[in-house]
Amino acid sequence: MLPADDADALDWLAFEQAGVPTTAQVAGLLSEARVRGRIRSGRWRSICRGILLTGNGRLTRDQQLWVAVLAAGPGAVLAGVSAAAEAGVRGLRREPLHVLVPAARRAARTTVRRLPIDMPAVLVHRTTVLPEAHLQRARPPRTTTARALVDTAGWAAGVDEAQSVLAAGCQQRRVLPEELRAVLDVLPRAPVGG
């Protein structure tokens, strides 16, 4: 629901991020004592280190997506099947959630750990190539449908799965073959067929 005309910055932040801010984002808006008080009283939840929920219920799908991106750290975007599903491609597995981060970012694990029980697993993939043209303005941020499908095909267990994902995106008119080719032309190690 859209915040009221007299809403403060915290209300707008919660609105823009489905109620999932980071502690760093909240630090400039509330004192640490007030944040702890809201968590202790049960009004808010601490999801994992550095991530809050401005409510106390189970995580919704939108909130799960925000947690995945924020838990993966700066520069993270939804990717692969997660981004493709958010773009409307049907018939894809919804879990685990896939996130893409810049390869230059140093992180120890490829899976985000210590998430609550109402949060699906999050797989973190790294890339050296993520041009602005492969990013879509969305909340939370994600790769374009073409990049998402190419990544999904690249991470697939086999050729049949990869082909079916690419075909699904084209058949459902979520992406054009030319858009897939444009992504493939930029990625250095993407398999390119004849």
Side-chain angles (χ1 to χ4, degrees):
M1 200 161 72
L2 193 64
D5 290 340
D6 61 347
D8 61 14
L10 180 59
D11 291 333
W12 281 103
L13 176 63
F15 170 74
E16 290 172 358
Q17 294 183 193
V20 183
T22 65
T23 53
Q25 290 172 316
V26 172
L29 304 173
L30 290 178
S31 70
E32 192 175 320
R34 287 187 71 187
V35 171
R36 279 195 313 266
R38 289 181 183 197
I39 293 169
R40 265 191 247 119
S41 70
R43 289 179 55 208
W44 284 14
R45 276 178 63 190
S46 176
I47 300 300
C48 62
R49 184 178 182 160
I51 300 176
L52 303 167
L53 176 65
T54 60
N56 59 8
R58 291 183 57 81
L59 293 171
T60 65
R61 180 67 176 179
D62 285 342
Q63 291 168 339
Q64 290 173 343
L65 298 174
W66 272 105
V67 169
V69 168
L70 294 173
V77 295
L78 286 178
V81 293
S82 302
E86 287 304 299
V89 179
R90 297 178 312 280
L92 302 175
R93 288 181 301 158
R94 294 173 56 91
E95 295 178 8
L97 300 177
H98 293 264
V99 178
L100 198 58
V101 297
R105 272 236 348 264
R106 302 207 73 206
R109 295 192 169 85
T110 57
T111 304
V112 176
R113 301 191 193 289
R114 298 181 188 209
L115 294 173
I117 192 111
D118 56 343
M119 183 69 197
V122 177
L123 296 179
V124 179
H125 305 273
R126 289 171 187 19
T127 184
T128 56
V129 179
L130 189 57
E132 194 68 33
H134 290 187
L135 297 174
Q136 182 170 335
R137 289 186 183 262
R139 296 222 171 252
R142 66 178 185 238
T143 59
T144 61
T145 308
R147 174 64 186 259
L149 291 170
V150 168
D151 284 340
T152 299
W155 303 330
V159 174
D160 290 342
E161 183 183 341
Q163 288 174 342
S164 69
V165 165
L166 295 173
C170 292
Q171 289 168 347
Q172 294 173 28
R173 297 181 183 194
R174 298 297 177 194
V175 68
L176 296 171
E178 299 81 34
E179 293 171 310
L180 296 172
R181 174 58 65 187
V183 170
L184 287 168
D185 288 345
V186 173
L187 296 179
R189 289 183 270 170
V192 180

